[in-house]
Amino acid sequence: MEYKSHFDLPIQLIMFFPFLILLVLYALNILTSIWAYRDARKRGKSNEYALLVLIGTLLFPVMGLLVYFIMRKDS
Protein backbone atom coordinates (compact mmCIF):
# COMPACT_ATOMS: atom_id res chain seq x y z
CA MET A 1 0.00 0.00 0.00
CA GLU A 2 1.35 3.40 -1.01
CA TYR A 3 1.56 6.11 1.61
CA LYS A 4 -0.20 9.30 0.57
CA SER A 5 0.34 12.47 2.55
CA HIS A 6 -2.63 14.65 3.39
CA PHE A 7 -0.58 17.63 2.12
CA ASP A 8 -0.56 16.46 -1.51
CA LEU A 9 -3.72 18.25 -2.61
CA PRO A 10 -2.89 21.70 -1.18
CA ILE A 11 0.60 21.56 -2.67
CA GLN A 12 -0.87 20.76 -6.09
CA LEU A 13 -3.31 23.64 -5.73
CA ILE A 14 -0.55 26.01 -4.69
CA MET A 15 1.47 25.00 -7.73
CA PHE A 16 -1.60 25.48 -9.96
CA PHE A 17 -2.36 29.07 -8.87
CA PRO A 18 0.64 30.72 -10.61
CA PHE A 19 -0.32 28.92 -13.82
CA LEU A 20 -3.91 30.09 -13.44
CA ILE A 21 -2.82 33.68 -12.80
CA LEU A 22 -0.56 33.65 -15.87
CA LEU A 23 -3.38 32.21 -17.96
CA VAL A 24 -5.76 34.96 -16.83
CA LEU A 25 -3.14 37.67 -17.52
CA TYR A 26 -2.48 36.24 -20.99
CA ALA A 27 -6.21 36.19 -21.76
CA LEU A 28 -6.49 39.78 -20.52
CA ASN A 29 -3.57 40.75 -22.77
CA ILE A 30 -5.31 39.22 -25.79
CA LEU A 31 -8.60 40.93 -24.97
CA THR A 32 -7.02 44.37 -24.50
CA SER A 33 -5.03 43.94 -27.72
CA ILE A 34 -8.18 43.11 -29.66
CA TRP A 35 -9.92 46.08 -28.07
CA ALA A 36 -7.07 48.42 -29.05
CA TYR A 37 -7.13 47.09 -32.63
CA ARG A 38 -10.89 47.58 -32.93
CA ASP A 39 -10.66 51.01 -31.32
CA ALA A 40 -8.00 52.10 -33.82
CA ARG A 41 -10.12 50.87 -36.72
CA LYS A 42 -13.25 52.54 -35.31
CA ARG A 43 -11.38 55.85 -35.09
CA GLY A 44 -10.66 55.68 -38.80
CA LYS A 45 -6.99 54.71 -38.62
CA SER A 46 -5.48 52.66 -41.43
CA ASN A 47 -5.37 48.90 -41.29
CA GLU A 48 -1.57 48.99 -41.05
CA TYR A 49 -1.71 51.32 -38.05
CA ALA A 50 -4.29 49.10 -36.36
CA LEU A 51 -2.11 46.02 -36.97
CA LEU A 52 0.87 47.86 -35.47
CA VAL A 53 -1.25 48.65 -32.42
CA LEU A 54 -2.30 45.00 -32.19
CA ILE A 55 1.26 43.68 -32.45
CA GLY A 56 2.61 46.33 -30.08
CA THR A 57 0.04 45.59 -27.41
CA LEU A 58 0.52 41.83 -27.79
CA LEU A 59 4.31 41.98 -27.49
CA PHE A 60 4.50 44.77 -24.91
CA PRO A 61 1.22 44.53 -22.97
CA VAL A 62 1.49 47.37 -20.46
CA MET A 63 3.79 49.70 -22.39
CA GLY A 64 2.00 49.10 -25.68
CA LEU A 65 -1.36 49.95 -24.18
CA LEU A 66 0.02 53.04 -22.43
CA VAL A 67 1.62 54.28 -25.66
CA TYR A 68 -1.63 53.67 -27.53
CA PHE A 69 -3.60 55.62 -24.91
CA ILE A 70 -1.15 58.52 -25.19
CA MET A 71 -1.15 58.50 -29.00
CA ARG A 72 -4.89 58.15 -29.52
CA LYS A 73 -6.94 61.27 -29.67
CA ASP A 74 -10.50 61.31 -28.41
CA SER A 75 -12.93 62.30 -31.11
Side-chain angles (χ1 to χ4, degrees), residues 23-64:
L23 190 65
V24 167
L25 287 175
Y26 187 64
L28 187 63
N29 179 23
I30 290 172
L31 289 174
T32 56
S33 297
I34 291 171
W35 172 83
Y37 172 81
R38 288 181 178 174
D39 186 62
R41 292 297 297 151
K42 184 178 76 173
R43 292 176 181 274
K45 301 294 184 183
S46 69
N47 198 30
E48 292 82 12
Y49 178 82
L51 281 174
L52 266 170
V53 167
L54 178 69
I55 292 169
T57 55
L58 277 174
L59 294 179
F60 307 102
V62 176
M63 278 309 286

Side-chain angles (χ1 to χ4, degrees), residues 15-24:
M15 292 177 69
F16 179 69
F17 281 127
F19 173 75
L20 185 62
I21 290 171
L22 287 176
L23 190 65
V24 167

